[in-house]
């Protein structure tokens, strides 16, 4: 018996290369790596087609049970040889199918057996295998989204050299479609009754679900739960569990989730009344434009379920800890069946407890509120978009409390910033201050580097005091006290001016002296002595400069002698009182050698040479 062999041939969508042989008894393909064999007896072969595909040319073989097998990798010169072999051994003509290369993105869809063909100018542009469609959704009024199941090796560790896979494609389907009434069983259609009008997108969506057999499997339903509350994606769904996959049926969306695409299972108590059961997915599900990598279900603790699995005792024995009959709380039944069918361990809450005795604490991430769970190997933030952080991926955790504003809210809460080794920084805010101690103890036990930037309560009040002096005066002063007026300008200049003003006054009460009241030129009043403290800094500087010039030009002989004996100071700049002097002899020397913490009243002295006026201050001569 003569056998013809072709090398470097692919079977179906597999990336594995193998050998293809044709003989009188039929066709066969054998892989080079796992040595998988696909055999096609001669009696099953009904037709054959030749296509131009991405991997050179494809031989498509139709079988008698409406199945088909495809083999890629043939060269152009192999066509004549294959056509001769098929005609000789199987009496089948090799039909050449034209493929369009226009690259247009508009055309006509046609369901051809197990494939969805996209035709441009009556030629095939591409084909999609319907048996690989995992889900179909209407994304908007005129868009239909098809999601594809991951390859069988999805559960294995991905390789850098792994080929790319298409996970989703969208079709824009405008217009309307007329579906004839009476197509359903038991319905009747009258002569004048027209068909039901619906959107073309809805009709295309229904056809895909029917042909792709979404939600169907070669087997019976194992267990079903109705109206399960799902928080992510939010809604009420019916939970249909089969041997190999889960079907999630809602009013708008219908999801098919393979157990092989489940990466992790979590069972976490939300509060005293509810429990969360979470599925981590390696292939996210989509709802419109949003991708969901976690499926979060919520169950009441007190809700119980009596169920019996639609499986034989022999099949149940193949799974670990799977029972035939259940009469337990609903969350225990669901989690137990999922754990057995997906063959994944359930991750619990661990040893962490908050001040209230819960395994999670309330926190915010940006504008989203959720529960922050401290697990044995993870920190899990459960919200509308859950986030899972591995402890081994954390570089440092930073505690802080002073953020954008300072006040009572900041004093009651703190922030936790998690700095990952290779990813972004995640900041969780508005955490109750009472949870700081258990969170810090948890992170220390996990040997995570910590940094504390929290401001103590006393310092927090001090920071708040610096924002507004008027606010602190209103808080500190009682109804009987008058707030001390503010002094404008620099702090140093203001202090010197206050000292000079109090030196110019004759008493703490601010009343004028006897000599001042008897003066013909007008005495210095209390307001003049104390100074106008609301004056601007600029006007006060001008007055002080003028006063300084007059004092130098019209000073008395005694003052000149005193100044000659007194050594000059480089840094000290004496400033006289801002009030206008009455006479030249009334100019006062101000000792700015040391700042005075409290002003002292000036002692009265007898006027010299019969002159009326305030006595001059005795100068200090430094040696």
């Amino acid at each position: 018996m003569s056998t013809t062999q072709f090398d470097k041939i692919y079977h179906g969508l597999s990336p594995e290369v193998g050998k293809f042989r044709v003989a009188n008894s039929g066709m066969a393909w054998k892989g080079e790596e796992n040595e998988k064999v696909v055999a096609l007896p001669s009696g099953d072969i009904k037709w054959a087609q030749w296509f131009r595909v991405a991997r050179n040319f494809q031989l498509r073989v139709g079988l008698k049970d409406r199945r088909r097998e495809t083999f890629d990798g043939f060269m152009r010169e192999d066509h004549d040889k294959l056509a001769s072999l098929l005609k000789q051994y199987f009496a089948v003509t090799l039909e050449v199918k034209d493929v369009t290369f226009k690259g247009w993105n508009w055309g006509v869809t046609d369901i051809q057996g197990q494939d969805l063909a996209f035709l441009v100018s009556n030629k095939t542009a591409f084909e999609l295998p319907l048996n690989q469609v995992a889900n179909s959704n209407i994304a908007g009024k005129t868009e239909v989204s098809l999601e594809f199941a991951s390859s069988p090796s999805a559960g294995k560790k991905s390789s850098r050299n792994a080929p790319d896979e298409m996970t989703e494609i969208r079709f824009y389907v405008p217009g309307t479609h007329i579906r004839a009434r009476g197509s359903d069983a038991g319905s009747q259609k009258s002569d004048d009754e027209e068909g039901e009008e619906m959107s073309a997108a809805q009709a295309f969506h229904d056809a895909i679900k029917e042909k792709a057999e979404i939600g169907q499997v070669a087997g019976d339903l194992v267990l079903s739960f109705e109206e399960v509350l799902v928080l992510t994606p939010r809604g009420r769904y019916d939970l249909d569990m089969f041997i190999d996959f889960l079907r999630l049926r809602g009013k708008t969306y219908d999801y098919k989730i393979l157990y092989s695409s489940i990466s992790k299972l979590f069972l976490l108590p939300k509060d005293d009344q509810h429990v969360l059961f979470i599925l981590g997915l390696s292939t996210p599900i989509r709802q419109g434009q949003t991708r969901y990598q976690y499926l979060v279900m919520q169950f009441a603790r007190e809700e119980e379920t009596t169920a019996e699995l639609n499986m034989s005792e022999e099949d149940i024995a193949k799974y670990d800890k799977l029972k035939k009959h259940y009469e337990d709380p609903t969350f225990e039944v669901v989690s137990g069946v999922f754990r057995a069918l997906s063959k994944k361990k359930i991750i619990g809450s661990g040893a962490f407890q908050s001040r209230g005795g819960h395994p999670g604490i309330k926190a915010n991430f940006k504008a989203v509120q959720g529960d922050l769970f401290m697990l044995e190997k993870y920190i899990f933030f459960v919200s509308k978009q859950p986030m899972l952080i591995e402890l081994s991926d954390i570089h440092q955790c930073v505690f802080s409390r002073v953020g954008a504003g300072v006040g009572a809210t900041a004093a009651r809460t703190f922030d936790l910033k998690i700095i990952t080794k290779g990813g972004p920084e995640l900041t969780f805010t508005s955490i109750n201050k009472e949870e700081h101690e258990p969170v810090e103890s948890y992170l220390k036990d996990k040997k995570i580097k910590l940094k504390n930037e929290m401001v103590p309560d006393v310092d927090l009040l001090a920071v708040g005091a610096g924002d507004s002096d008027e606010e602190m005066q209103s808080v500190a002063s009682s109804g009987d006290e008058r707030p001390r007026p503010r002094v404008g300008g620099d702090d140093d200049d203001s202090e010197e001016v206050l000292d000079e003003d109090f030196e110019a006054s004759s008493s703490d009460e601010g009343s004028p002296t006897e000599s001042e009241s008897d003066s013909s030129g007008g005495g210095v009043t209390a307001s003049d002595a104390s100074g106008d403290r609301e004056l601007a800094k600029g006007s006060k500087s001008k007055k002080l400069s003028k006063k300084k010039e007059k004092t130098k030009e019209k000073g008395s002989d005694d003052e000149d002698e005193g100044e000659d004996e007194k050594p000059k100071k480089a840094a000290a700049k004496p400033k006289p009182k801002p009030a206008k002097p009455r006479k030249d002899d009334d100019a006062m020397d101000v000792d700015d050698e040391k700042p005075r913490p409290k002003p002292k009243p000036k002692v009265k002295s007898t006027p010299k040479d019969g002159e009326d006026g305030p006595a001059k201050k005795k100068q200090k001569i430094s040696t």
Side-chain angles (χ1 to χ4, degrees):
M1 182 178 63
S2 177
T3 302
T4 305
Q5 178 174 305
F6 299 87
D7 297 330
K8 296 182 180 180
I9 304 300
Y10 302 90
H11 171 249
L13 301 176
S14 173
E16 183 181 4
V17 70
K19 298 178 179 180
F20 181 77
R21 295 178 180 178
V22 181
N24 190 25
S25 59
M27 304 177 184
W29 176 88
K30 183 178 181 180
E32 293 182 355
E33 294 182 4
N34 55 15
E35 297 185 353
K36 178 183 177 181
V37 177
V38 178
L40 306 178
S42 59
D44 294 345
I45 300 175
K46 297 300 179 183
W47 53 265
Q49 293 176 342
W50 180 262
F51 273 89
R52 178 68 171 94
V53 294
R55 296 186 291 194
N56 295 321
F57 287 85
Q58 179 187 93
L59 174 64
R60 183 175 300 179
V61 180
L63 305 178
K64 65 178 182 180
D65 56 356
R66 295 185 178 181
R67 292 187 303 111
R68 71 166 196 189
E69 297 289 346
T70 59
F71 303 94
D72 299 353
F74 293 98
M75 307 306 293
R76 186 184 298 273
E77 54 269 20
D78 295 333
H79 172 267
D80 295 341
K81 184 186 294 187
L82 274 174
S84 177
L85 293 173
L86 293 174
K87 189 70 173 178
Q88 178 182 354
Y89 294 145
F90 317 116
V92 171
T93 301
L94 182 60
E95 181 184 2
V96 178
K97 300 290 291 186
D98 293 332
V99 179
T100 180
F101 298 98
K102 288 185 176 180
W104 292 1
N105 63 343
W106 65 92
V108 179
T109 56
D110 184 24
I111 297 179
Q112 300 176 353
Q114 297 176 340
D115 296 329
L116 174 66
F118 188 78
L119 307 178
V120 175
S121 300
N122 294 325
K123 294 183 180 180
T124 302
F126 62 87
E127 293 177 324
L128 301 175
L130 292 177
N131 58 356
Q132 296 293 322
V133 177
N135 192 25
S136 174
N137 293 320
I138 299 180
K141 296 181 180 180
T142 57
E143 283 192 359
V144 178
S145 170
L146 303 185
E147 300 176 13
F148 296 91
S150 57
S151 61
S153 59
K156 302 179 182 179
K157 187 176 180 180
S158 60
S159 174
R160 292 184 178 180
N161 298 326
D164 295 334
E165 293 185 1
M166 184 173 67
T167 59
E168 181 187 17
I169 187 172
R170 294 195 176 197
F171 292 94
Y172 172 66
V173 190
T176 58
H177 175 77
I178 304 298
R179 181 170 61 182
R181 297 180 184 271
S183 58
D184 298 336
S187 62
Q188 296 180 357
K189 178 181 178 182
S190 59
D191 296 336
D192 57 348
E193 188 178 14
E194 296 182 356
E196 178 185 0
E197 182 177 356
M198 60 188 307
S199 66
Q202 182 66 46
F204 180 71
H205 166 71
D206 294 341
I208 293 296
K209 290 183 63 176
E210 180 182 356
K211 296 297 182 179
E213 298 182 347
I214 297 177
Q216 300 180 17
V217 69
D220 296 328
L221 182 68
V222 175
L223 190 61
S224 180
F225 299 90
E226 295 182 356
E227 296 292 324
V228 175
L229 176 60
V230 179
L231 302 182
T232 303
R234 192 166 186 85
R236 291 276 182 176
Y237 294 86
D238 293 339
L239 211 64
D240 298 336
M241 303 183 70
F242 294 85
I243 294 293
D244 297 324
F245 70 94
L246 161 73
R247 185 183 182 189
L248 204 63
R249 295 184 292 109
K251 295 181 179 179
T252 308
Y253 297 94
D254 194 338
Y255 299 98
K256 179 181 179 181
I257 303 173
L258 299 176
Y259 294 140
S260 59
S261 67
I262 298 177
S263 58
K264 293 179 178 63
L265 296 176
F266 296 90
L267 186 62
L268 305 173
K270 179 178 177 61
D271 48 41
D272 295 336
Q273 290 82 27
H274 302 91
V275 178
L276 299 178
F277 182 60
I278 306 173
L279 278 65
L281 306 176
S282 58
T283 303
I285 59 177
R286 293 171 176 81
Q287 183 172 320
Q289 299 287 346
T290 309
R291 294 158 51 96
Y292 295 97
Q293 196 165 357
Y294 294 93
L295 183 65
V296 183
M297 294 176 280
Q298 178 174 301
F299 298 93
R301 288 180 178 270
E302 299 180 355
E303 181 183 353
E304 294 187 356
T305 297
T306 301
E308 185 172 348
L309 301 186
N310 187 21
M311 296 175 64
S312 63
E313 294 290 347
E314 296 178 357
D315 293 336
I316 291 177
K318 298 178 183 179
Y319 297 92
D320 184 29
K321 297 181 180 179
L322 189 63
K323 300 187 297 184
K324 175 71 173 178
H325 182 77
Y326 286 91
E327 191 172 352
D328 300 295
T330 305
F331 71 90
E332 292 185 3
V333 178
V334 174
S335 60
V337 176
F338 262 106
R339 186 196 61 80
L341 298 181
S342 64
K343 299 180 181 179
K344 297 289 190 301
K345 294 182 179 180
I346 295 179
I347 301 174
S349 57
F352 174 82
Q353 284 191 348
S354 65
R355 285 291 185 180
H358 299 287
I361 57 178
K362 297 294 182 182
N364 290 351
F365 180 75
K366 297 181 179 179
V368 180
Q369 184 180 11
D371 296 302
L372 196 62
F373 291 94
M374 307 291 177
L375 309 179
E376 291 299 325
K377 296 182 180 180
Y378 308 95
I379 293 179
F380 199 7
F381 182 67
V382 181
S383 63
K384 295 180 180 179
Q385 287 292 339
M387 291 184 297
L388 186 67
I389 308 169
E390 295 188 13
L391 296 181
S392 59
D393 191 39
I394 297 178
H395 169 67
Q396 186 184 30
C397 289
V398 181
F399 293 99
S400 61
R401 183 164 58 190
V402 179
V406 179
T409 304
R412 294 194 300 265
T413 61
F414 71 93
D415 299 344
L416 174 63
K417 181 168 66 174
I418 299 178
I419 304 175
T420 58
K421 294 179 180 179
E425 298 181 359
L426 306 174
T427 302
F428 300 96
T429 62
S430 302
I431 305 175
N432 195 314
K433 188 175 66 174
E434 296 181 353
E435 308 296 349
H436 173 257
E437 182 178 351
V439 172
E440 185 177 25
S441 301
Y442 164 81
L443 295 175
K444 286 182 179 179
D445 293 340
K446 301 302 179 182
K447 310 298 181 183
I448 296 178
K449 185 179 178 181
L450 300 179
K451 183 179 179 181
N452 197 330
E453 296 179 352
M454 296 180 64
V455 178
D457 293 340
V458 177
D459 296 342
L460 193 67
L461 293 177
V463 173
D467 294 342
S468 176
D469 292 342
E470 288 82 358
E471 294 178 1
M472 291 303 299
Q473 288 181 6
S474 63
V475 173
S477 61
S478 62
D480 299 334
E481 291 181 340
R482 296 182 59 187
R484 182 178 177 179
R486 298 183 64 181
V487 180
D490 267 345
D491 294 341
D492 297 337
D493 296 341
S494 302
E495 186 176 353
E496 292 177 0
V497 173
L498 283 175
D499 291 342
E500 296 167 9
D501 294 341
F502 276 103
E503 288 173 347
S505 63
S506 61
S507 63
D508 290 338
E509 291 80 0
S511 60
T513 59
E514 295 177 359
S515 59
E516 289 173 344
S517 61
D518 296 336
S519 304
S520 60
V524 179
T525 62
S527 61
D528 294 331
S530 61
D532 188 1
R533 295 170 183 172
E534 300 298 330
L535 290 177
K537 182 180 178 181
S539 61
K540 193 174 291 185
S541 301
K542 291 180 181 179
K543 291 184 179 181
L544 292 177
S545 301
K546 292 180 180 179
K547 179 64 179 177
K548 185 175 181 181
E549 293 176 359
K550 292 182 179 180
T551 304
K552 288 183 178 180
E553 296 176 358
K554 299 181 181 181
S556 60
D557 297 338
D558 296 339
E559 292 173 352
D560 295 337
E561 294 176 358
E563 290 178 0
D564 294 336
E565 295 176 0
K566 184 176 179 180
K568 297 181 180 179
K569 297 181 180 179
K573 294 182 180 180
K575 297 181 181 179
K577 68 175 185 175
K580 186 177 180 181
R582 292 181 294 104
K583 294 182 180 180
D584 297 341
D585 296 338
D586 293 339
M588 299 174 60
D589 295 335
V590 180
D591 186 6
D592 292 335
E593 183 178 355
K594 296 180 180 179
R596 294 180 175 84
K598 295 183 179 180
K600 297 182 180 180
K602 189 173 182 181
V603 182
K604 298 180 183 180
S605 60
T606 305
K608 185 178 180 180
D609 299 333
E611 293 181 359
D612 295 335
K616 296 180 181 179
K617 179 182 178 184
K618 185 177 181 180
Q619 294 183 351
K620 294 182 180 180
I621 302 176
S622 55
T623 58

